[in-house]
Amino acid sequence: MAQDKIVAAAAVVQAAAPQTTNSPPQEGQAAATEQGAAATGDIVVTGTRVARSGYTAPTPTTVIGSAQIQSAAPASLADYVNELPALIGSTTPRVATTGASATVGANLYNLRALGANRTLVLLDGHRVAPSTLTGNIDVGLLPQALVERVDVVTGGASAAWGSDAVAGVVNYVLNKNFTGVMGNIQSGISDEGDARTFKAELSFGAKFAGGRGHVLVSGEYHDDGAADYVTSRNWFQSYKVVNNPAFIAGNGQPRMLLQPGVGLGVATDGGLITSTTTTGGVTSSTAGLVNTQFTPAGSPVPFRPGFKSGVLSFGGDGQDVSQIIRLGSPVKGGTVFARASYDLTDNITAYAEFGYANVKSKIFARVYERDGNIAIKADNAYLDPATKAAMTAGNLASFTLGKIFLDWGPSVGRNDREQLRYVGGVEGKFGNGWSWDIYGQHGETKFLNGDYSNNPITANFNNAVDAVVNPANNQIVCRSTLTNPANGCVPYNVFGTNKSTPASLAYIYGQSYQNITIKQDVVSGSLRGEPFSTWAGPVSIALGGEWRRESYAAATTALDQTNAFFLGNFRPSKGHYDVKEGFFEAVVPLMKDKPFFREVDFNGAVRYTSYSLSGDVTSWKVGLTWDVDSQLRLRGTRSRDIRAPNLAELFQAGNNLNQTINDPVLNRSYSVQQFASGNPNLAPEKADTTSAGIVYRPKWLPGFGISVDYFDIKIDKAIYSNTAQAVINLCQGGDALQCSFITRNPANQITLVKLLPLNIGGEATRGVDIEASYRRNLSDIASNWGGSLDLRLVGTYVAHRTVTIGGVTTEYAGQNANFDQNSQAVPSWRWLASAGYDSDHFTATLTERFISAGKLNNAWVEGVDINNNHVSAVFYTDLTLGFKMPDFGKGAQVYFAVQNLFDRSPPVAPIYGATGFLSTGTNGYLYDVIGRQFRAGVRFKF
């Protein structure tokens, strides 16, 4: 057994030979259970599909064993895996944004910051039905209790595993041979009394029919509560990036400021008058009633705008709309996994698997907001007498009102996922070491997205606020009711707060949602063996073929299709594509037991893939491992990897969202509709990956090992959907294609921005991975000392992470803040260090996580473009203690964990750009926004 990177020794075993205390640590596989190791023999590590005892593939792979996972006692397995430095910007339920998207509440791995759709997630080497139309896998839907190790391939692996493995692969490997009963119950809460967590796991495995059969059943339930609003944390100070009001070209002032205390300057919770129009049609944004706001009671008072910066202001009465952002979304659900196998003969085994998952999460989207575009006429029935008198005196026909509907609270929707998975197959062995496997699989994800509790129908809202007195009965009604008495409109008093009635809200609100069913069907077969030998040893091969179909259908409401809502506006759509693949991989020993050439192996793989829509493409890999001696290994790979367009990129009919943009033509900010849809003419992305590394396991320091690996990934024809602001900026720069996606009205104001995925991008990343571990039995140091010590250090340095669109290349490495809520920030360094002690009765693990300092934006020059372009470095400390209880069964343990022991606050790193007004002031994709958390639990096994 072998692994492709050094692992914490607590999770390492060597299958080829027993390991003595004086032997150097092996790059071994994460420990399978005793039963699993005995039953399966050679184990295929995800870096290769070849099964060969003692072989280490040249593709760097980090393996996380179950012992490591238990020692950290994470709230979820995804929380622990995401601590690996190679995973950057993963989506989690606790990123503290206002996204009204299908990914809220999901755990989506993001290797190398290349995007979750370029990280292939597998379950025991098998694909899983996508959780979203973008092809992402929410690992919260996968069984967790039986995971014996997680293989993380940190390099291109398309030749071995197919499309999407551009950045790498994360493979959950289950202990399919477990016998007995094991369980785990854990509960947690934050230091602030929120963000509670709970999970319960129970697994059972047994043999039957005299050992020819084996059955396995595992279930788990988790309930993670919501974290409080950002205002509950002291670090929240309403930091935003704003224009510097003191800047004049040449006066030495920076163009922008990183500024606390920033809010909206175009809307308040009671309402703010932003412009007036006379009866003669003259509009002004400065005269008369402009900058009059309404108190909660609806009385007019002056609004102090302070310094204006687009829709933002500071130093005045501006209110921060981000104050209603939740630090984390509640997620509740469970999974069931069952497996049965039976030896039909001594060499043939039939097996079947069933998986079920049901996970429900809430979406806390942005609060309803109108940035100075609510039209109020002079005869509005709810106008206070003073404002009416002022309008009469100023000969005003109307004014525009901006309002943040904080009294309504955020729009609360839901993402509910239900997933079913069926697998049936036959595997066997023959001859001298040959093995084969044939299986069929059907997976299905049913997904409800949207269903917001307080989502205004825009037309109904506009009708409701346009309230007048009915001259026939002196009652307040909607103006529209005078001409259409049966329209059902209920008037709404928009001035002040808490003025709504149940009847008015029932008229204003509507339901926007989509029901999606995603299906995946797979038929696959593979063969492994050693057909012949060279002068240096046996040649090992793996080959196989696969057919796969991905399909979906999305249904929605009639109102959604008319862009009626503030949020949602989904479209019905459907589509499918088929994939036919064949692969071949070989390991050829080139030299063995020679001076300076203890062992040299060549690894080559090729995969031919035919897509029903995107055409044919070939991926390949060549690699070499060279053991100079028992201490030093060199390795390297070169590969061509691919990512095919996903269902959303190909077929999505589109959905509308309201988006605030900066219009360089009109030189102002306002809200527009963006419409995102698919493109069936997309081609697969192609990536070239190079890696080269060294592994050193010195004899002079038994138990120690270190690896250093260089990586370089370049993606061509990257599928890219611009943000609305990016489309506008590119058009302003002369990109005619992007200009074709913008619609302006006769007043030259943008009304619609179309977002279409295109093969127009180029992406690249380059850096170094470092991993070191040291394990020592303390009795080797002093005979009367007990237990063992495990030290581990994992780090990633990113030298470059670039995106090229329209000929413009942007460097993200060393940038710790995001533009327009996209997860683009890539710190230069991330480190994960741990020290563990394990004895017969007690375990302790101290973990340190480090994120290096960086910039808000690499293109900005501090003092010229912005007053402060620095994001501070941060350390997080975690502590876990375990107390073993052997009297209650093998593996019985009570444990306690503290995450972020010293309650470190996240550094200031706000979102900037058109959506900067929604920034919490930090980057939830990188930093801990919850603070200190406590967990306690008990696990058992017998």
Side-chain angles (χ1 to χ4, degrees):
M1 283 190 274
Q3 176 209 345
D4 309 309
K5 255 194 176 178
I6 299 169
V7 191
V12 175
V13 295
Q14 181 184 2
Q19 180 175 329
T20 67
T21 57
N22 294 323
S23 65
Q26 300 298 308
E27 291 181 276
Q29 214 114 292
T33 63
E34 294 87 345
Q35 301 153 325
T40 61
D42 292 344
I43 296 178
V44 178
V45 181
T46 310
T48 175
R49 297 190 76 139
V50 171
R52 180 178 177 181
S53 179
Y55 173 65
T56 300
T59 305
T61 301
T62 294
V63 176
I64 305 171
S66 59
Q68 289 173 265
I69 299 166
Q70 289 185 6
S71 68
S76 71
L77 180 54
D79 285 352
Y80 185 74
V81 175
N82 275 320
E83 290 182 357
L84 290 177
L87 287 118
I88 306 173
S90 296
T91 297
T92 75
R94 294 178 177 175
V95 294
T97 68
T98 61
S101 76
T103 62
V104 172
N107 276 295
L108 310 177
Y109 290 139
N110 185 358
L111 276 167
R112 304 288 188 215
L114 289 173
N117 54 6
R118 297 189 181 105
T119 298
L120 179 61
V121 175
L122 301 174
L123 180 62
D124 263 329
H126 293 178
R127 286 180 178 264
V128 181
S131 309
T132 68
L133 292 182
T134 53
N136 303 136
I137 305 299
D138 177 6
V139 294
L141 298 174
L142 303 184
Q144 316 277 313
L146 286 169
V147 172
E148 70 177 11
R149 73 176 201 266
V150 179
D151 293 353
V152 182
V153 181
T154 53
S158 292
W161 301 104
S163 177
D164 303 338
V166 172
V169 177
V170 179
N171 185 16
Y172 279 23
V173 181
L174 305 181
N175 182 3
K176 299 188 292 291
N177 297 290
F178 172 76
T179 60
V181 177
M182 64 178 176
N184 179 37
I185 299 175
Q186 182 191 100
S187 184
I189 196 168
S190 81
D191 198 31
E192 299 289 338
D194 61 357
R196 60 176 179 79
T197 63
F198 174 81
K199 69 177 178 181
E201 303 168 335
L202 185 64
S203 302
F204 167 79
K207 296 180 179 180
F208 64 91
R212 297 184 70 88
H214 181 265
V215 64
L216 185 64
V217 179
S218 179
E220 52 210 70
Y221 170 80
H222 65 92
D223 185 357
D224 300 335
D228 206 345
Y229 296 106
V230 292
T231 52
S232 66
R233 301 306 197 260
N234 291 333
W235 56 260
F236 177 73
Q237 300 294 327
S238 296
Y239 269 96
K240 309 278 193 290
V241 174
V242 296
N243 293 326
N244 184 0
F247 171 74
I248 299 175
N251 72 346
Q253 288 281 334
R255 294 186 300 109
M256 295 174 291
L257 300 174
L258 177 61
Q259 179 72 34
V262 179
L264 283 178
V266 292
T268 64
D269 60 344
L272 173 66
I273 298 176
T274 58
S275 70
T276 59
T277 302
T278 67
T279 54
V282 178
T283 299
S284 172
S285 58
T286 58
L289 290 173
V290 171
N291 286 330
T292 296
Q293 64 174 323
F294 294 90
T295 66
S299 302
V301 295
F303 173 78
R304 296 181 302 117
F307 300 102
K308 296 289 291 290
S309 173
V311 299
L312 298 174
S313 72
F314 61 96
D317 294 334
Q319 294 174 297
D320 190 355
V321 68
S322 68
Q323 65 183 278
I324 52 79
I325 294 177
R326 289 272 190 173
L327 294 166
S329 300
V331 182
K332 179 190 297 187
T335 67
V336 175
F337 175 81
R339 189 179 196 272
S341 61
Y342 186 80
D343 295 338
L344 301 176
T345 70
D346 289 343
N347 295 317
I348 300 177
T349 301
Y351 61 90
E353 294 179 4
F354 168 75
Y356 175 79
N358 192 318
V359 176
K360 303 179 185 296
S361 56
K362 283 187 178 181
I363 306 170
F364 290 99
R366 58 185 291 191
V367 71
Y368 188 49
E369 169 197 337
R370 295 288 291 267
D371 293 342
N373 60 1
I374 302 174
I376 302 296
K377 296 182 180 179
D379 59 349
N380 190 288
Y382 293 117
L383 273 175
D384 66 283
T387 304
K388 275 194 173 185
M391 292 188 73
T392 300
N395 200 28
L396 300 179
S398 64
F399 61 77
T400 56
L401 188 77
K403 185 173 171 68
I404 314 168
F405 291 80
L406 295 176
D407 53 334
W408 289 4
S411 295
V412 181
R414 55 189 175 126
N415 282 332
D416 295 348
R417 291 182 176 88
E418 182 182 56
Q419 189 171 81
L420 291 164
R421 179 174 177 266
Y422 308 90
V423 182
V426 183
E427 60 186 2
K429 54 187 178 180
F430 65 93
N432 185 18
W434 287 87
S435 64
W436 55 272
D437 181 17
I438 299 174
Y439 72 90
Q441 174 178 298
H442 173 75
E444 187 170 312
T445 302
K446 294 182 178 179
F447 178 33
L448 171 63
N449 170 225
D451 194 21
Y452 298 99
S453 60
N454 48 355
N455 188 16
I457 300 172
T458 305
N460 287 10
F461 174 86
N462 292 338
N463 286 337
V465 299
D466 190 15
V468 296
V469 175
N470 187 342
N473 56 18
N474 214 31
Q475 299 293 313
I476 298 177
V477 297
C478 304
R479 189 186 306 273
S480 61
T481 303
L482 297 178
T483 55
N484 185 7
N487 69 353
C489 182
V490 179
Y492 168 60
N493 183 358
V494 75
F495 306 106
T497 60
N498 298 307
K499 297 298 184 70
S500 58
T501 65
S504 63
L505 292 181
Y507 171 72
I508 292 171
Y509 293 159
Q511 285 186 303
S512 170
Y513 62 86
Q514 59 177 341
N515 281 305
I516 304 173
T517 299
I518 306 171
K519 296 181 180 180
Q520 182 188 79
D521 294 288
V522 179
V523 178
S524 180
S526 61
L527 177 68
R528 298 185 181 94
E530 297 179 344
F532 60 90
S533 296
T534 70
W535 56 91
V539 173
S540 303
I541 67 170
L543 68 156
E546 182 173 293
W547 172 87
R548 186 173 84 252
R549 167 168 286 193
E550 308 266 358
S551 64
Y552 86 101
T556 186
T557 70
L559 277 178
D560 273 287
Q561 300 173 51
T562 63
N563 299 335
F565 297 100
F566 172 61
L567 296 173
N569 298 314
F570 306 106
R571 297 291 191 278
S573 59
K574 62 181 180 179
H576 78 272
Y577 64 85
D578 299 334
V579 187
K580 299 174 184 176
E581 297 184 284
F583 69 89
F584 177 83
E585 184 175 2
V587 175
V588 182
L590 302 178
M591 196 172 295
K592 189 176 180 68
D593 296 331
K594 302 292 183 182
F596 303 107
F597 295 93
R598 182 173 184 263
E599 189 171 351
V600 180
D601 290 317
F602 169 81
N603 177 217
V606 63
R607 176 179 290 258
Y608 173 77
T609 306
S610 179
Y611 293 97
S612 58
L613 290 180
S614 306
D616 302 339
V617 64
T618 301
S619 51
W620 50 265
K621 178 186 75 171
V622 292
L624 194 74
T625 57
W626 172 16
D627 285 8
V628 178
D629 53 28
S630 62
Q631 301 180 91
L632 182 63
R633 167 178 293 149
L634 306 177
R635 61 188 178 193
T637 65
R638 175 74 172 177
S639 65
R640 165 62 58 86
D641 303 291
I642 63 168
R643 183 183 80 84
N646 56 52
L647 292 169
E649 290 167 336
L650 289 169
F651 304 114
Q652 189 171 3
N655 70 291
N656 282 66
L657 288 174
N658 287 285
Q659 184 70 59
T660 300
I661 56 92
N662 295 314
D663 186 346
V665 174
L666 299 182
N667 195 29
R668 63 186 181 90
S669 300
Y670 52 90
S671 182
V672 303
Q673 281 203 332
Q674 68 175 32
F675 181 79
S677 63
N679 179 5
N681 298 315
L682 292 170
E685 298 178 342
K686 297 181 180 180
D688 291 321
T689 301
T690 302
S691 69
I694 183 171
V695 182
Y696 182 51
R697 296 163 297 185
K699 290 182 179 180
W700 54 268
L701 184 60
F704 176 76
I706 185 170
S707 68
V708 180
D709 286 280
Y710 164 84
F711 62 86
D712 187 325
I713 304 173
K714 296 182 176 69
I715 304 172
D716 187 33
K717 296 183 179 179
I719 300 171
Y720 197 82
S721 292
N722 281 313
T723 64
Q725 188 63 56
V727 170
I728 294 167
N729 293 346
L730 288 168
C731 174
Q732 183 69 8
D735 190 327
L737 177 62
Q738 301 300 321
C739 289
S740 68
F741 300 145
I742 299 174
T743 301
R744 292 183 181 270
N745 62 19
N748 209 27
Q749 180 171 314
I750 298 173
T751 57
L752 178 69
V753 179
K754 294 176 65 176
L755 306 182
L756 191 71
L758 299 166
N759 290 105
I760 59 172
E763 302 200 25
T765 186
R766 184 169 76 248
V768 176
D769 291 327
I770 302 171
E771 187 167 353
S773 68
Y774 176 71
R775 183 181 191 274
R776 197 69 183 265
N777 291 324
L778 297 182
S779 60
D780 296 339
I781 302 174
S783 59
N784 59 340
W785 290 3
S788 62
L789 176 68
D790 291 276
L791 304 177
R792 189 188 191 200
L793 180 68
V794 185
T796 293
Y797 170 69
V798 182
H800 294 286
R801 170 66 180 101
T802 59
V803 175
T804 302
I805 303 293
V808 178
T809 298
T810 303
E811 176 65 74
Y812 291 106
Q815 183 171 301
N816 293 23
N818 289 323
F819 175 78
D820 274 353
Q821 298 200 68
N822 296 313
S823 178
Q824 299 166 321
V826 184
S828 295
W829 280 103
R830 291 186 74 204
W831 290 99
L832 174 67
S834 64
Y837 171 77
D838 189 9
S839 70
D840 292 338
H841 302 286
F842 174 73
T843 65
T845 302
L846 183 69
T847 302
E848 196 73 23
R849 296 173 281 138
F850 171 73
I851 301 172
S852 65
K855 298 179 179 180
L856 294 175
N857 189 307
N858 286 326
W860 294 343
V861 176
E862 188 167 306
V864 176
D865 297 298
I866 194 166
N867 64 324
N868 183 1
N869 197 29
H870 180 73
V871 180
S872 300
V874 64
F875 288 88
Y876 296 113
T877 304
D878 307 326
L879 177 65
T880 307
L881 303 176
F883 302 90
K884 298 179 181 180
M885 302 181 297
D887 294 340
F888 293 89
K890 179 181 178 182
Q893 187 181 85
V894 174
Y895 59 88
F896 305 91
V898 184
Q899 185 173 323
N900 194 355
L901 179 65
F902 300 111
D903 199 24
R904 291 293 304 271
S905 297
V908 176
I911 297 168
Y912 48 87
T915 58
F917 70 100
L918 293 170
S919 174
T920 62
T922 193
N923 184 352
Y925 288 98
L926 289 181
Y927 303 112
D928 180 356
V929 298
I930 303 297
R932 186 186 295 118
Q933 299 173 69
F934 304 94
R935 292 187 296 276
V938 58
R939 61 174 67 97
F940 58 88
K941 180 180 177 182
F942 54 85

